[in-house]
Amino acid sequence: MAWDYVDKPMILQSMHDAGITSVAFVPAKMLDVCGQLHLNCILFDERLSGDLWSKPFDGERFRRNLAAVVKEQKISGALYGYHVKDEPPESDFPELAKATAAIKAFAPGKWPYINLFPGEGKSYDDYLEHFVEIVHPTALFYDRYSVIGDIGSGDFDPKFWMNLAQVRTVALRHQLPFWNIVLTSPHWRYRDLTPADIRLQVWGSLAYGVAGISYYKFISKELPILNADDLGNWRGGPLDQFEEKTPTWGWIRDTDRQIQNIAPIYLQLHSNDVYHFGAIPEGNHGPLETSLVKSLPDGDFVVGDFTGPQGNRYVMIVNKSLKRSAHCAAQFTSLPKDVRYVSPRTGQVKPFPAKYYWLGPGQGVLLELSGTK
């Protein structure tokens, strides 16, 4: 998903060409273009979301206006949901529940799009639980931007992993899909990106079982809705402030192509566990007796264990280094009869050349293990 407001067909085309499959957000006049480009979209309408991002949310206004908004629209397969609120405080939850109920009543099957604050610790667990219990969402969205330090430093905030672990736990408990919104247009204190930063944010999220990735932002300038402030130092997004392609556009296109190649298999999998080798972030753990991988001797890794629809087992192994490639020489707890990998280049499932297979900085690989429970 490209996280930005888009009212120009040429930008939607650029997003599509970069491998984007959904867009948040568009006005109603863009629904036909989204349909032509096979883009799912989240509709923004000021009558629903309001005109100022920092105002307390008004669920009654949303409900009153939604019926009219729905009636005005043409039937469009591109419409995926409606923008409701960005980073709501807990005090907004009862009003957000009215919006969610209204969408279920007037536009059944569409998403109430609400992206949550990042966080960690018990207070964040409570925030997530209360959101699910009160608002009754159809999915969890949250943002966590972790690209820190000086340019080229390779620094990456370990809270990225803690936040993923907590959202994953709540999502699994309530059987909800969850999406991670990651940084693609630096601002404030965030450093300029590298291709490895894009890969690690995406592949690292996949190891935790996310259902989708959202890129914040796609265009390196302020959001033209909700009276959003200009932060001044927007830079390096896929499109620059003049809506021209940057190197980041190519990095995202490359990563998106890889993920779309593994997606037909990945999206069938159920996440069983996530664990780390090397540095273990707070709120996470190393391999357990039940883990599919017992050792990865070369570097820092995050590993996700998965089960397929027929009970077959998979592991996703991600190199957490932003500077060094690492040999993917996994040692398994129970020796598989066969190990194959889903090629991120072709999507083919092929014998895994473990002796020779290395992961670039931030890169991941999905392995299928035969004969392992």
Side-chain angles (χ1 to χ4, degrees):
M1 176 182 285
W3 202 107
D4 226 312
Y5 180 77
V6 186
D7 58 3
K8 296 180 181 179
M10 69 175 189
I11 295 180
L12 289 172
Q13 183 69 58
S14 180
M15 290 174 169
H16 170 269
D17 293 346
I20 295 298
T21 57
S22 56
V23 180
F25 313 95
V26 301
K29 67 180 182 180
M30 289 290 105
L31 287 174
D32 285 346
V33 180
C34 288
Q36 292 163 15
L37 294 171
H38 305 288
L39 292 169
N40 296 319
C41 61
I42 304 297
L43 181 73
F44 175 84
D45 192 306
E46 198 171 272
R47 290 173 292 176
L48 303 178
S49 304
D51 60 356
L52 181 62
W53 65 271
S54 57
K55 278 185 181 178
F57 186 75
D58 186 342
E60 290 294 341
R61 181 198 60 215
F62 189 101
R63 182 176 181 85
R64 284 196 309 271
N65 292 334
L66 180 62
V69 170
V70 171
K71 188 175 181 180
E72 291 170 4
Q73 294 161 8
K74 298 177 182 177
I75 297 175
S76 173
L79 179 60
Y80 214 52
Y82 297 87
H83 176 270
V84 180
K85 179 69 174 176
D86 180 41
E87 295 185 333
E90 195 164 334
S91 58
D92 272 349
F93 288 179
E95 293 297 305
L96 295 174
K98 296 176 183 178
T100 299
I103 291 173
K104 291 177 180 178
F106 294 111
K110 305 304 181 185
W111 274 9
Y113 184 89
I114 306 165
N115 71 274
L116 301 174
F117 279 113
E120 58 277 331
K122 185 181 184 305
S123 63
Y124 191 65
D125 280 337
D126 292 342
Y127 174 78
L128 294 173
E129 283 291 343
H130 294 162
F131 178 73
V132 174
E133 292 167 3
I134 296 171
V135 180
H136 304 293
T138 53
L140 297 178
F141 295 83
Y142 79 103
D143 50 61
R144 168 64 81 172
Y145 312 138
S146 300
V147 183
I148 57 175
D150 298 326
I151 298 172
S153 67
D155 291 339
F156 194 79
D157 190 344
K159 289 179 181 177
F160 180 84
W161 309 112
M162 187 176 184
N163 212 156
L164 267 169
Q166 288 187 253
V167 178
R168 173 185 176 272
T169 296
V170 173
L172 287 174
R173 182 182 300 135
H174 295 280
Q175 298 182 327
L176 291 170
F178 75 104
W179 289 54
N180 192 8
I181 305 170
V182 301
L183 183 67
T184 51
S185 184
H187 54 284
W188 286 345
R189 68 186 183 279
Y190 304 112
R191 62 173 169 79
D192 290 2
L193 299 171
T194 69
D197 293 318
I198 302 296
R199 290 193 297 265
L200 183 58
Q201 291 181 100
V202 173
W203 283 97
S205 299
L206 293 172
Y208 281 76
V210 297
I213 299 288
S214 185
Y215 296 125
Y216 181 87
K217 295 171 67 265
F218 206 86
I219 311 169
S220 304
K221 61 181 180 180
E222 69 274 15
L223 196 69
I225 54 175
L226 295 170
N227 280 292
D229 297 306
D230 184 356
L231 306 183
N233 67 337
W234 291 109
R235 63 204 187 280
L239 299 182
D240 65 19
Q241 60 186 317
F242 304 110
E243 301 172 355
E244 301 287 343
K245 293 176 183 176
T246 72
T248 307
W249 186 93
W251 303 339
I252 284 180
R253 179 184 59 178
D254 180 76
T255 302
D256 286 349
R257 285 175 172 174
Q258 293 182 49
I259 303 311
Q260 286 162 7
N261 283 334
I262 72 166
I265 292 176
Y266 173 83
L267 289 173
Q268 299 182 61
L269 306 182
H270 175 75
S271 175
N272 302 121
D273 195 16
V274 187
Y275 45 99
H276 291 250
F277 291 92
I280 300 176
E282 185 178 352
N284 288 263
H285 61 80
L288 307 174
E289 290 185 3
T290 54
S291 300
L292 294 175
V293 177
K294 69 177 181 181
S295 176
L296 275 161
D298 181 22
D300 282 356
F301 299 89
V302 59
V303 178
D305 288 356
F306 296 86
T307 300
Q310 306 302 320
N312 44 336
R313 304 303 305 276
Y314 292 80
V315 294
M316 181 170 285
I317 300 174
V318 182
N319 175 14
K320 291 195 296 179
S321 174
L322 292 172
K323 290 186 172 183
R324 295 180 298 276
S325 293
H327 186 202
C328 189
Q331 298 178 14
F332 300 102
T333 302
S334 176
L335 188 65
K337 292 180 180 178
D338 187 34
V339 180
R340 302 192 298 168
Y341 77 111
V342 185
S343 170
R345 188 178 65 81
T346 67
Q348 294 177 304
V349 181
K350 308 193 300 186
F352 182 57
K355 183 178 178 180
Y356 306 104
Y357 202 89
W358 285 61
L359 294 171
Q363 182 69 33
V365 65
L366 181 62
L367 304 181
E368 180 187 40
L369 312 182
S370 299
T372 298
K373 295 183 177 180

